[in-house]
Amino acid sequence: MLRFIVPILVLISLVVACGGGDSRPIVSIGEVGDPGVFEVTTAAFGNGGKIPTRYTCGGEDRSIPLEWTGAPEVTQAYAVVLDDPDAPGGTFKHWIVFDVAASETGLLEGVDKTEVIVGGAVQPRNDFGRTGYGGPCPPRGTTHRYQVFVFALS
């Protein structure tokens, strides 16, 4: 099934801070095909906003809702990765989901922290060593960028 990845790496840059003042915009980048055709958004916060506490380890630790549109017709599944490129030990994976059905147009807020979720998608362990979403948790007084990659797989 994973013959090749349709190299549409849609990236949303997210920011959470514990006392920091940096706020970076959400960015959507389609790297193949017509620019802007494959778009990923979240209703959890506005463009350039910080990740609300409810989606962090200091809050409810709920996964953020994601929606996407404009995937290539050859898409057979999606994979989602949320990471922190600013982690002291190198890029830290907060959430990985794969085998999301091609018929899906996103992920709801608060996805269950189970290996297999509704629709048959799979969530392996994150870098916290737990299954499912592990919310942003930067060291106090620091600001980190968080990136969501959505891969359309053929």
Side-chain angles (χ1 to χ4, degrees), residues 1-2 14-15 18 46 51 53-54 59 63 82 93 104 117 119 126 129 142 151:
M1 173 146 123
L2 299 179
L14 313 171
V15 178
C18 293
I51 298 174
T53 302
R54 71 181 289 147
S63 65
L82 183 144
K93 302 290 185 242
E104 296 295 332
I117 60 175
N126 55 39
T142 65
F151 300 90

Side-chain angles (χ1 to χ4, degrees), residues 86-138:
D86 299 324
T91 301
F92 190 93
K93 302 290 185 242
H94 284 266
W95 193 25
I96 303 166
V97 186
F98 62 88
D99 281 348
V100 177
S103 60
E104 296 295 332
T105 58
L107 294 170
L108 297 175
E109 176 180 319
V111 171
D112 289 338
K113 295 181 182 191
T114 57
E115 185 176 340
V116 179
I117 60 175
V118 173
V122 177
Q123 299 182 109
R125 292 182 187 264
N126 55 39
D127 284 345
F128 288 114
R130 299 186 303 256
T131 300
Y133 180 87
C137 204

